[in-house]
């Protein structure tokens, strides 16, 4: 099978995914060059997202197993004299064996689409990525975004 073949499905996460999301995040450390950073949001993966007004989480699933996750929060800000709807992309994780298969890109597009189908289109998206996180920077560049 081609490493780029999409063998996973994408859906919005629910509270029932909490334990699987916690395990996914523990199993997918951030690679920051000389350091790996593992997050543990126990006992509630969704707690920090509840602090944001309009946030949601999408998961990639294969055979009943979560293989990727990405969250985003939509907010409106004035830019260049006009109100703009921005999407802050966050908490992206993909199991190591599923990297380089466009899981992150598909999850981000699913997040953008989830607002669009609800009549809340997005003007632009942004995320904060460490300069040492080459895997995430590469994924973003492959998706067509350029770093500032």
């Amino acid at each position: 099978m081609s490493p780029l073949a999409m063998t996973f499905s994408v859906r919005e996460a629910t509270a029932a995914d909490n334990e699987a999301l916690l395990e996914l995040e523990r199993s997918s450390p951030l690679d920051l060059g000389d350091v790996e950073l593992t997050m543990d949001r126990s006992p509630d993966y969704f707690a920090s997202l509840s602090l944001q007004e309009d946030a949601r989480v999408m998961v990639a699933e294969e055979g009943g197993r979560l293989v990727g996750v990405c969250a985003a929060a939509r907010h409106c800000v004035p830019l260049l004299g006009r109100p703009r709807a921005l999407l802050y992309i966050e908490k992206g994780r993909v199991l190591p064996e599923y990297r380089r298969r466009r899981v992150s890109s598909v999850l981000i597009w699913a997040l953008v689409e989830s607002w669009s189908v609800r009549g809340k289109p997005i003007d632009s998206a942004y995320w904060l990525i460490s300069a040492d996180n080459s895997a995430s920077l590469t994924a973003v560049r492959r998706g067509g975004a350029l770093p500032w």
Side-chain angles (χ1 to χ4, degrees):
M1 174 185 315
S2 164
L4 297 180
M6 195 168 127
T7 60
F8 56 89
S9 59
V10 173
R11 63 175 174 79
E12 195 162 345
T14 68
D17 294 313
N18 186 64
E19 290 304 317
L21 285 165
L22 293 171
E23 180 56 32
L24 174 62
E25 195 159 59
R26 286 189 295 262
S27 301
S28 308
L30 293 173
D31 182 359
L32 303 176
D34 294 338
V35 176
E36 277 192 356
L37 179 63
T38 302
M39 305 290 231
D40 186 353
R41 299 183 196 280
S42 297
D44 184 0
Y45 179 87
F46 298 95
S48 66
L49 293 166
S50 69
L51 300 173
Q52 299 173 63
E53 185 176 333
D54 192 4
R56 61 184 58 130
V57 180
M58 290 290 182
V59 294
E61 187 174 38
E62 183 177 79
R65 176 184 182 208
L66 297 188
V67 299
V69 62
C70 193
R74 182 184 186 274
H75 59 276
C76 294
V77 298
L79 285 176
L80 301 172
R82 288 186 37 208
R84 309 282 181 161
L86 300 184
L87 195 62
Y88 173 53
I89 308 292
E90 58 183 311
K91 296 176 181 44
R93 298 289 187 283
V94 176
L95 288 177
E97 62 269 28
Y98 284 83
R99 292 182 184 158
R100 302 192 60 79
R101 292 177 54 184
R102 306 262 192 238
V103 174
S104 294
S105 297
V106 171
L107 288 169
I108 290 168
W109 283 114
L111 282 161
V112 170
E113 183 66 13
S114 74
W115 273 281
S116 294
V117 299
R118 291 176 171 107
K120 294 180 166 186
I122 305 299
D123 293 311
S124 187
Y126 69 100
W127 43 95
L128 305 174
I129 301 172
S130 168
D132 296 324
N133 188 337
S134 60
S136 291
L137 290 171
T138 299
V140 167
R141 286 185 184 110
R142 264 190 281 128
L146 300 174
W148 289 353

XYZ file of all heavy atoms in Angstrom, residues 2-102:
784
model
N 0.530 2.233 -0.757
C 1.261 3.496 -0.805
C 1.227 4.155 0.562
O 0.199 4.157 1.229
C 0.610 4.415 -1.841
O 1.050 5.739 -1.649
N 2.346 4.765 1.007
C 2.339 5.426 2.312
C 1.390 6.622 2.342
O 1.021 7.089 3.404
C 3.784 5.874 2.501
C 4.417 5.804 1.172
C 3.632 4.819 0.354
N 0.959 7.122 1.171
C 0.049 8.255 1.138
C -1.408 7.839 0.982
O -2.295 8.677 0.959
C 0.440 9.213 0.011
C 1.824 9.856 0.165
C 2.095 10.782 -1.009
C 1.939 10.601 1.474
N -1.678 6.533 0.862
C -3.060 6.078 0.740
C -3.801 6.373 2.041
O -3.297 6.124 3.128
C -3.105 4.578 0.445
N -5.003 6.922 1.918
C -5.784 7.266 3.108
C -6.568 6.041 3.552
O -7.540 5.655 2.929
C -6.719 8.437 2.802
C -7.281 9.064 4.038
S -8.069 10.614 3.683
C -9.659 10.342 4.429
N -6.111 5.443 4.640
C -6.749 4.235 5.163
C -7.519 4.529 6.441
O -8.004 3.618 7.088
C -5.689 3.161 5.454
O -4.774 3.688 6.416
C -4.938 2.773 4.196
N -7.610 5.794 6.789
C -8.240 6.191 8.042
C -9.480 7.035 7.754
O -9.637 7.583 6.678
C -7.250 6.971 8.915
C -6.660 8.175 8.220
C -7.281 9.417 8.286
C -5.485 8.067 7.491
C -6.755 10.515 7.642
C -4.946 9.164 6.838
C -5.586 10.393 6.918
N -10.347 7.113 8.753
C -11.523 7.982 8.643
C -11.353 9.143 9.617
O -10.569 9.073 10.558
C -12.800 7.202 8.955
O -12.736 6.677 10.265
N -12.097 10.217 9.378
C -12.009 11.417 10.206
C -13.395 11.743 10.747
O -14.392 11.640 10.025
C -11.463 12.603 9.385
C -11.523 13.897 10.178
C -10.037 12.315 8.935
N -13.430 12.128 12.012
C -14.701 12.506 12.637
C -14.411 13.464 13.775
O -13.272 13.604 14.226
C -15.434 11.273 13.155
C -14.681 10.540 14.254
C -15.489 9.394 14.839
N -14.724 8.610 15.775
C -14.467 8.932 17.031
N -14.916 10.078 17.535
N -13.765 8.133 17.815
N -15.478 14.122 14.246
C -15.328 15.000 15.403
C -15.229 14.144 16.666
O -15.952 13.158 16.827
C -16.514 15.964 15.492
C -16.267 17.109 16.432
C -17.206 18.289 16.233
O -17.883 18.367 15.190
O -17.251 19.125 17.146
N -14.318 14.526 17.542
C -14.129 13.789 18.795
C -15.295 14.043 19.747
O -15.944 15.085 19.690
C -12.829 14.214 19.457
N -15.539 13.079 20.608
C -16.569 13.204 21.644
C -15.938 12.902 23.006
O -14.807 12.399 23.086
C -17.729 12.219 21.413
O -17.242 10.884 21.635
C -18.306 12.345 20.008
N -16.685 13.155 24.055
C -16.208 12.870 25.411
C -15.843 11.396 25.575
O -14.942 11.053 26.350
C -17.259 13.280 26.435
N -16.485 10.531 24.817
C -16.185 9.097 24.893
C -14.766 8.773 24.412
O -14.241 7.699 24.710
C -17.207 8.302 24.079
N -14.130 9.701 23.689
C -12.769 9.508 23.184
C -11.700 9.920 24.192
O -10.507 9.795 23.912
C -12.559 10.329 21.899
C -13.410 9.856 20.754
O -13.453 8.626 20.515
O -14.036 10.706 20.090
N -12.095 10.415 25.353
C -11.142 10.992 26.294
C -9.940 10.087 26.568
O -8.797 10.506 26.417
C -11.826 11.360 27.614
C -10.889 12.097 28.542
O -10.439 13.186 28.236
N -10.572 11.482 29.672
N -10.157 8.854 26.985
C -9.039 7.960 27.336
C -8.146 7.683 26.134
O -6.915 7.680 26.250
C -9.550 6.650 27.948
C -10.154 6.826 29.331
C -9.203 7.483 30.331
O -8.006 7.125 30.373
O -9.665 8.372 31.064
N -8.755 7.471 24.958
C -7.967 7.212 23.745
C -7.152 8.446 23.349
O -6.015 8.326 22.885
C -8.882 6.775 22.600
N -7.709 9.630 23.533
C -6.982 10.868 23.223
C -5.805 11.064 24.176
O -4.710 11.463 23.756
C -7.919 12.071 23.285
C -8.871 12.202 22.106
C -9.996 13.190 22.417
C -8.116 12.601 20.856
N -6.018 10.779 25.452
C -4.921 10.885 26.413
C -3.790 9.927 26.047
O -2.612 10.296 26.083
C -5.429 10.597 27.832
C -6.403 11.626 28.415
C -6.996 11.103 29.722
C -5.734 12.966 28.609
N -4.136 8.711 25.662
C -3.123 7.723 25.269
C -2.415 8.133 23.976
O -1.199 7.988 23.848
C -3.757 6.341 25.126
C -2.769 5.256 24.725
C -1.578 5.122 25.681
O -1.734 5.359 26.890
O -0.479 4.786 25.193
N -3.180 8.636 23.012
C -2.591 9.096 21.748
C -1.559 10.191 22.013
O -0.453 10.172 21.468
C -3.689 9.602 20.809
C -3.229 10.256 19.506
C -2.455 9.285 18.636
C -4.429 10.807 18.755
N -1.903 11.138 22.857
C -0.970 12.229 23.131
C 0.279 11.727 23.855
O 1.390 12.154 23.554
C -1.663 13.327 23.933
C -0.869 14.614 23.914
C -1.682 15.824 24.232
O -2.262 15.871 25.328
O -1.715 16.729 23.393
N 0.113 10.803 24.787
C 1.280 10.238 25.481
C 2.154 9.427 24.519
O 3.357 9.335 24.705
C 0.832 9.356 26.648
C 0.320 10.152 27.846
C 0.092 9.259 29.057
N -0.965 8.288 28.845
C -2.225 8.423 29.259
N -2.595 9.497 29.926
N -3.115 7.490 29.022
N 1.557 8.851 23.485
C 2.285 8.013 22.527
C 2.865 8.799 21.360
O 3.504 8.207 20.489
C 1.347 6.937 21.964
O 0.839 6.140 22.988
N 2.640 10.108 21.332
C 3.069 10.942 20.207
C 3.810 12.176 20.700
O 3.312 13.299 20.614
C 1.846 11.372 19.389
O 1.064 10.278 19.032
N 5.013 11.993 21.219
C 5.744 13.148 21.747
C 6.112 14.138 20.643
O 6.254 13.760 19.475
C 6.991 12.527 22.367
C 7.163 11.227 21.672
C 5.783 10.757 21.305
N 6.230 15.387 21.035
C 6.715 16.410 20.113
C 8.226 16.256 19.996
O 8.928 16.129 20.998
C 6.396 17.809 20.641
C 4.936 18.198 20.699
C 4.782 19.540 21.403
C 4.354 18.264 19.312
N 8.738 16.262 18.783
C 10.168 16.158 18.532
C 10.712 17.574 18.374
O 10.458 18.235 17.366
C 10.421 15.333 17.276
C 11.898 15.153 16.992
O 12.735 15.682 17.742
O 12.220 14.482 15.997
N 11.448 18.029 19.378
C 11.989 19.384 19.359
C 13.505 19.354 19.219
O 14.246 19.946 20.003
C 11.586 20.133 20.635
C 10.079 20.219 20.897
C 9.804 20.901 22.225
C 9.383 20.940 19.766
N 13.963 18.637 18.213
C 15.404 18.536 17.983
C 16.046 17.602 18.971
O 15.913 16.386 18.875
N 16.740 18.165 19.950
C 17.438 17.364 20.958
C 16.542 16.906 22.099
O 16.976 16.181 22.985
C 18.594 18.177 21.572
C 19.683 18.474 20.557
O 19.772 17.752 19.552
O 20.445 19.436 20.778
N 15.268 17.335 22.076
C 14.356 17.055 23.183
C 13.041 16.497 22.655
O 12.554 16.938 21.617
C 14.060 18.363 23.967
C 13.039 18.128 25.052
C 15.327 18.965 24.525
N 12.497 15.516 23.342
C 11.134 15.061 23.083
C 10.253 15.547 24.221
O 10.628 15.421 25.391
C 11.062 13.536 23.011
C 11.438 12.985 21.675
C 11.086 11.508 21.556
O 10.619 10.895 22.528
O 11.304 10.982 20.468
N 9.099 16.099 23.870
C 8.186 16.633 24.868
C 6.888 15.847 24.815
O 6.219 15.806 23.783
C 7.909 18.117 24.582
C 6.949 18.831 25.516
C 7.505 18.850 26.935
C 6.700 20.244 25.012
N 6.560 15.187 25.921
C 5.327 14.414 26.021
C 4.353 15.149 26.926
O 4.720 15.560 28.027
C 5.608 13.006 26.585
O 6.546 12.356 25.731
C 4.333 12.186 26.652
N 3.131 15.312 26.452
C 2.095 15.982 27.234
C 1.186 14.931 27.868
O 0.934 13.894 27.263
C 1.241 16.877 26.346
C 2.024 17.871 25.555
S 2.695 19.112 26.616
C 2.163 20.557 25.775
N 0.705 15.246 29.048
C -0.280 14.392 29.702
C -1.379 15.300 30.228
O -1.179 16.034 31.199
C 0.361 13.596 30.831
C -0.601 12.594 31.446
O -1.810 12.607 31.093
O -0.156 11.795 32.277
N -2.521 15.299 29.588
C -3.628 16.180 29.952
C -4.641 15.477 30.870
O -5.780 15.895 30.958
C -4.316 16.684 28.693
C -3.376 17.492 27.821
C -4.072 18.051 26.604
N -3.124 18.482 25.614
C -2.454 19.629 25.639
N -2.647 20.470 26.623
N -1.604 19.928 24.679
N -4.203 14.426 31.519
C -5.082 13.686 32.436
C -5.620 14.608 33.509
O -4.911 15.508 33.957
C -4.316 12.549 33.101
O -3.874 11.617 32.152
N -6.814 14.401 33.956
C -7.717 13.315 33.586
C -8.666 13.673 32.436
O -9.399 12.821 31.971
C -8.525 13.093 34.865
C -8.640 14.461 35.454
C -7.325 15.141 35.120
N -8.611 14.933 31.931
C -9.592 15.368 30.940
C -8.909 16.050 29.760
O -8.487 17.205 29.854
C -10.589 16.331 31.599
C -11.710 16.765 30.668
O -11.726 16.335 29.496
O -12.563 17.547 31.118
N -8.823 15.350 28.645
C -8.194 15.896 27.439
C -8.856 17.207 27.020
O -8.203 18.130 26.544
C -8.294 14.883 26.293
C -7.689 15.394 25.010
C -6.331 15.226 24.753
C -8.451 16.078 24.073
C -5.761 15.715 23.585
C -7.890 16.573 22.907
C -6.553 16.387 22.672
O -5.985 16.888 21.535
N -10.150 17.318 27.195
C -10.921 18.464 26.692
C -10.908 19.685 27.619
O -11.403 20.748 27.243
C -12.373 18.038 26.447
C -12.515 16.962 25.417
C -12.588 15.630 25.789
C -12.570 17.273 24.065
C -12.719 14.629 24.837
C -12.702 16.286 23.105
C -12.774 14.957 23.497
N -10.363 19.566 28.822
C -10.452 20.645 29.817
C -9.892 21.967 29.305
O -10.544 23.010 29.429
C -9.757 20.235 31.105
N -8.702 21.964 28.739
C -8.105 23.231 28.285
C -8.882 23.831 27.120
O -8.958 25.052 26.976
C -6.638 23.041 27.903
O -6.524 22.202 26.777
N -9.495 22.991 26.312
C -10.294 23.493 25.182
C -11.572 24.168 25.655
O -12.101 25.045 24.971
C -10.621 22.357 24.218
C -9.412 21.793 23.485
C -9.767 20.471 22.829
C -8.868 22.777 22.479
N -12.065 23.780 26.815
C -13.296 24.390 27.327
C -13.088 25.850 27.711
O -14.049 26.584 27.907
C -13.829 23.596 28.523
O -12.962 23.741 29.629
N -11.843 26.292 27.793
C -11.539 27.683 28.101
C -11.638 28.581 26.860
O -11.560 29.796 26.975
C -10.133 27.794 28.695
C -9.904 27.011 29.985
C -8.436 27.063 30.382
C -10.797 27.536 31.091
N -11.789 27.970 25.698
C -11.881 28.717 24.452
C -13.336 28.733 23.977
O -14.036 27.734 24.095
C -10.977 28.082 23.405
C -9.519 28.111 23.840
C -8.638 27.353 22.913
O -8.516 27.708 21.750
N -8.025 26.297 23.420
N -13.746 29.863 23.425
C -15.154 30.068 23.106
C -15.707 29.102 22.062
O -16.799 28.577 22.209
C -15.349 31.505 22.619
C -16.787 31.863 22.367
C -16.947 33.311 21.975
O -16.115 34.135 22.361
O -17.927 33.612 21.274
N -14.988 28.864 20.993
C -15.518 28.073 19.886
C -14.452 27.084 19.417
O -13.821 27.276 18.381
C -15.947 29.009 18.749
C -16.765 28.317 17.673
O -17.076 27.111 17.822
O -17.088 28.966 16.664
N -14.235 26.032 20.200
C -13.184 25.055 19.911
C -13.798 23.696 19.611
O -14.878 23.360 20.093
C -12.232 24.938 21.096
N -13.087 22.936 18.803
C -13.495 21.551 18.551
C -12.275 20.711 18.210
O -11.200 21.228 17.937
C -14.565 21.457 17.481
C -14.217 21.949 16.124
C -15.435 21.883 15.201
N -16.512 22.666 15.767
C -17.215 23.578 15.117
N -16.970 23.798 13.862
N -18.172 24.245 15.697
N -12.487 19.407 18.226
C -11.407 18.441 18.034
C -11.828 17.446 16.960
O -12.934 16.922 16.993
C -11.116 17.670 19.355
C -9.999 16.669 19.160
C -10.803 18.630 20.482
N -10.915 17.174 16.028
C -11.131 16.137 15.023
C -10.120 15.023 15.263
O -8.980 15.276 15.672
C -10.932 16.678 13.604
C -11.990 17.621 13.157
S -13.547 16.751 12.883
C -14.555 18.097 12.311
N -10.546 13.794 15.020
C -9.658 12.641 15.169
C -9.618 11.844 13.870
O -10.577 11.829 13.106
C -10.092 11.720 16.338
C -9.933 12.431 17.665
C -11.501 11.208 16.158
N -8.479 11.199 13.664
C -8.318 10.234 12.578
C -8.330 8.859 13.239
O -7.684 8.640 14.268
C -7.004 10.466 11.842
N -9.075 7.959 12.628
C -9.293 6.647 13.236
C -9.095 5.568 12.174
O -9.522 5.720 11.037
C -10.717 6.607 13.767
C -11.094 5.419 14.565
C -12.487 5.581 15.156
O -13.385 6.131 14.486
O -12.672 5.140 16.290
N -8.427 4.506 12.579
C -8.271 3.356 11.685
C -8.511 2.091 12.498
O -7.869 1.881 13.527
C -6.878 3.333 11.058
C -6.712 2.194 10.062
C -5.358 2.226 9.396
O -4.388 1.781 10.036
O -5.288 2.703 8.259
N -9.454 1.294 12.064
C -9.749 0.043 12.752
C -10.144 0.238 14.204
O -9.794 -0.585 15.047
N -10.845 1.327 14.508
C -11.280 1.588 15.874
C -10.214 2.204 16.763
O -10.460 2.470 17.938
N -9.045 2.470 16.219
C -7.925 3.035 16.987
C -7.686 4.474 16.536
O -7.593 4.751 15.334
C -6.680 2.196 16.726
C -5.421 2.713 17.364
C -4.247 1.831 16.927
N -3.018 2.263 17.547
C -1.826 2.085 17.008
N -1.706 1.454 15.851
N -0.756 2.507 17.624
N -7.536 5.403 17.491
C -7.202 6.777 17.136
C -5.733 6.839 16.722
O -4.861 6.378 17.457
C -7.458 7.724 18.303
C -8.903 7.848 18.780
C -9.026 8.977 19.802
C -9.857 8.089 17.632
N -5.484 7.403 15.537
C -4.116 7.494 15.022
C -3.656 8.945 14.882
O -2.483 9.202 14.650
C -3.968 6.741 13.686
C -4.297 5.261 13.879
C -4.829 7.350 12.595
N -4.593 9.884 15.010
C -4.233 11.292 14.920
C -5.315 12.161 15.526
O -6.472 11.762 15.624
N -4.913 13.365 15.931
C -5.844 14.332 16.511
C -5.369 15.729 16.169
O -4.175 15.976 16.008
C -5.948 14.159 18.049
C -4.610 14.410 18.730
C -7.012 15.084 18.629
N -6.304 16.629 16.026
C -5.997 18.038 15.866
C -7.184 18.832 16.391
O -8.340 18.453 16.167
C -5.733 18.380 14.398
S -4.986 20.001 14.179
N -6.887 19.896 17.110
C -7.932 20.761 17.657
C -7.784 22.150 17.055
O -6.736 22.495 16.506
C -7.811 20.829 19.179
N -8.834 22.936 17.161
C -8.785 24.314 16.683
C -9.824 25.137 17.429
O -10.821 24.613 17.915
C -9.047 24.377 15.186
N -9.551 26.428 17.499
C -10.487 27.380 18.092
C -10.672 28.533 17.109
O -9.696 29.082 16.596
C -9.959 27.887 19.426
N -11.921 28.871 16.850
C -12.257 29.969 15.934
C -12.502 31.227 16.745
O -13.157 31.192 17.781
C -13.524 29.614 15.148
C -13.948 30.641 14.127
C -15.273 30.200 13.483
N -15.668 31.056 12.394
C -16.376 32.192 12.543
N -16.744 32.583 13.745
N -16.695 32.919 11.486
N -11.939 32.334 16.268
C -12.196 33.619 16.914
C -12.127 34.732 15.875
O -11.481 34.591 14.840
C -11.230 33.871 18.077
C -9.787 33.862 17.683
N -9.051 32.711 17.571
C -8.951 34.859 17.357
C -7.826 32.998 17.202
N -7.736 34.301 17.059
N -12.836 35.800 16.150
C -12.889 36.939 15.231
C -12.035 38.074 15.777
O -12.098 38.394 16.967
C -14.325 37.401 15.034
S -15.325 36.163 14.197
N -11.232 38.649 14.887
C -10.343 39.750 15.253
C -10.350 40.791 14.140
O -10.584 40.454 12.975
C -8.899 39.261 15.493
C -8.838 38.282 16.647
C -8.323 38.631 14.247
N -10.089 42.052 14.474
C -9.972 43.060 13.425
C -8.570 43.017 12.800
O -7.568 43.058 13.512
C -10.200 44.371 14.177
C -9.794 44.083 15.583
C -10.065 42.629 15.815
N -8.522 42.878 11.483
C -7.258 42.908 10.751
C -7.422 43.812 9.547
O -8.372 43.648 8.765
C -6.863 41.505 10.268
C -6.328 40.530 11.301
C -6.095 39.163 10.660
C -5.051 41.037 11.927
N -6.513 44.757 9.399
C -6.563 45.693 8.276
C -7.925 46.365 8.155
O -8.453 46.536 7.058
C -6.178 44.990 6.969
C -4.785 44.365 6.952
C -4.584 43.539 5.691
C -3.708 45.428 7.086
N -8.512 46.700 9.294
C -9.766 47.435 9.306
C -11.020 46.624 9.067
O -12.109 47.182 8.958
N -10.872 45.295 8.990
C -12.046 44.430 8.782
C -12.052 43.305 9.796
O -10.996 42.793 10.168
C -11.997 43.807 7.381
C -12.272 44.782 6.268
C -12.366 44.105 4.904
N -13.019 42.802 4.965
C -12.772 41.818 4.113
N -11.909 41.972 3.148
N -13.402 40.667 4.218
N -13.250 42.880 10.201
C -13.300 41.709 11.088
C -12.931 40.443 10.293
O -13.394 40.263 9.169
C -14.748 41.666 11.555
C -15.520 42.460 10.563
C -14.569 43.448 9.944
N -12.100 39.624 10.877
C -11.660 38.383 10.221
C -11.880 37.202 11.160
O -11.657 37.299 12.361
C -10.167 38.432 9.881
C -9.713 39.640 9.133
C -10.053 39.556 7.683
N -9.558 40.773 7.041
C -9.352 40.889 5.779
N -9.586 39.886 4.978
N -8.918 42.013 5.276
N -12.281 36.090 10.583
C -12.446 34.848 11.345
C -11.157 34.040 11.208
O -10.802 33.602 10.108
C -13.626 34.057 10.826
N -10.458 33.883 12.321
C -9.207 33.133 12.333
C -9.392 31.816 13.061
O -10.214 31.699 13.969
C -8.108 33.938 13.015
C -7.758 35.276 12.397
C -6.587 35.905 13.143
C -7.444 35.141 10.924
N -8.607 30.848 12.644
C -8.653 29.529 13.261
C -7.279 29.237 13.842
O -6.286 29.193 13.106
C -9.024 28.478 12.211
C -9.465 27.129 12.739
C -10.725 27.261 13.576
C -9.699 26.174 11.584
N -7.232 29.089 15.166
C -5.985 28.728 15.832
C -5.907 27.205 15.878
O -6.708 26.549 16.536
C -5.925 29.327 17.241
C -4.740 28.840 18.034
C -3.451 28.926 17.515
C -4.907 28.287 19.287
C -2.358 28.476 18.232
C -3.816 27.837 20.027
C -2.547 27.931 19.485
O -1.467 27.476 20.194
N -4.959 26.646 15.149
C -4.764 25.192 15.080
C -3.859 24.787 16.239
O -2.806 25.392 16.455
C -4.100 24.781 13.749
C -4.848 25.364 12.539
C -3.928 23.276 13.668
C -6.208 24.803 12.308
N -4.241 23.739 16.965
C -3.463 23.340 18.137
C -3.604 21.846 18.421
O -4.447 21.170 17.857
C -3.916 24.137 19.359
C -5.405 23.971 19.664
C -5.866 24.826 20.822
O -5.203 24.806 21.877
O -6.897 25.502 20.669
N -2.752 21.373 19.301
C -2.803 20.010 19.830
C -2.751 18.925 18.746
O -3.351 17.866 18.877
C -4.039 19.823 20.714
C -4.023 20.698 21.953
C -5.296 20.550 22.743
C -5.332 21.422 23.955
N -4.884 22.804 23.807
N -2.034 19.186 17.682
C -1.897 18.189 16.622
C -0.936 17.079 17.027
O 0.195 17.346 17.434
N -1.409 15.869 16.932
C -0.572 14.702 17.221
C -0.939 13.584 16.248
O -2.121 13.377 15.939
C -0.797 14.161 18.641
C -0.469 15.105 19.761
C 1.042 15.326 19.895
N 1.330 16.107 21.066
C 1.171 17.413 21.170
N 0.706 18.108 20.156
N 1.486 18.049 22.297
N 0.082 12.856 15.809
C -0.116 11.697 14.938
C 0.830 10.607 15.447
O 2.000 10.881 15.738
C 0.201 12.043 13.462
C 0.097 10.810 12.582
C -0.727 13.144 12.957
N 0.307 9.401 15.549
C 1.175 8.295 15.965
C 2.367 8.213 15.015
O 2.213 8.417 13.800
C 0.410 6.973 15.944
C -0.629 6.776 17.040
C -1.363 5.453 16.832
C 0.014 6.814 18.425
N 3.555 7.917 15.532
C 4.760 7.900 14.693
C 4.626 7.053 13.430
O 5.075 7.458 12.355
C 5.834 7.338 15.631
C 5.380 7.754 16.993
C 3.869 7.673 16.947
N 3.974 5.919 13.523
C 3.864 5.046 12.337
C 2.878 5.578 11.296
O 2.779 5.031 10.192
C 3.505 3.614 12.748
C 2.176 3.454 13.447
C 2.237 3.565 14.973
O 3.125 4.255 15.508
O 1.364 2.953 15.614
N 2.144 6.639 11.607
C 1.186 7.235 10.661
C 1.669 8.579 10.120
O 0.967 9.211 9.336
C -0.192 7.397 11.318
C -0.923 6.091 11.407
C -0.678 5.208 12.453
C -1.830 5.717 10.425
C -1.324 3.993 12.521
C -2.486 4.506 10.493
C -2.223 3.650 11.541
O -2.870 2.440 11.599
N 2.844 9.005 10.523
C 3.375 10.270 10.029
C 3.747 10.140 8.560
O 3.986 9.059 8.057
C 4.572 10.698 10.876
C 4.115 11.054 12.278
C 5.225 11.531 13.163
N 4.668 11.757 14.511
C 5.371 11.781 15.603
N 6.667 11.615 15.546
N 4.792 11.983 16.756
N 3.732 11.266 7.869
C 4.031 11.339 6.427
C 2.940 10.670 5.591
O 3.184 10.218 4.480
C 5.408 10.785 6.103
C 6.517 11.514 6.862
C 7.896 11.186 6.360
N 8.097 11.534 4.962
C 8.343 12.767 4.480
N 8.409 13.768 5.315
N 8.538 12.956 3.195
N 1.741 10.572 6.155
C 0.594 10.013 5.415
C -0.528 11.038 5.294
O -1.667 10.691 5.060
C 0.103 8.740 6.106
C 1.132 7.616 5.988
C 0.747 6.366 6.704
N -0.549 5.850 6.330
C -1.118 4.797 6.890
N -0.491 4.145 7.850
N -2.303 4.396 6.518
N -0.207 12.300 5.517
C -1.143 13.422 5.369
C -2.260 13.435 6.417
O -3.296 14.062 6.212
C -1.729 13.474 3.970
C -0.706 13.496 2.859
C -0.483 14.891 2.402
N 0.278 14.920 1.154
C 1.426 15.546 1.035
N 1.949 16.166 2.048
N 2.062 15.560 -0.119
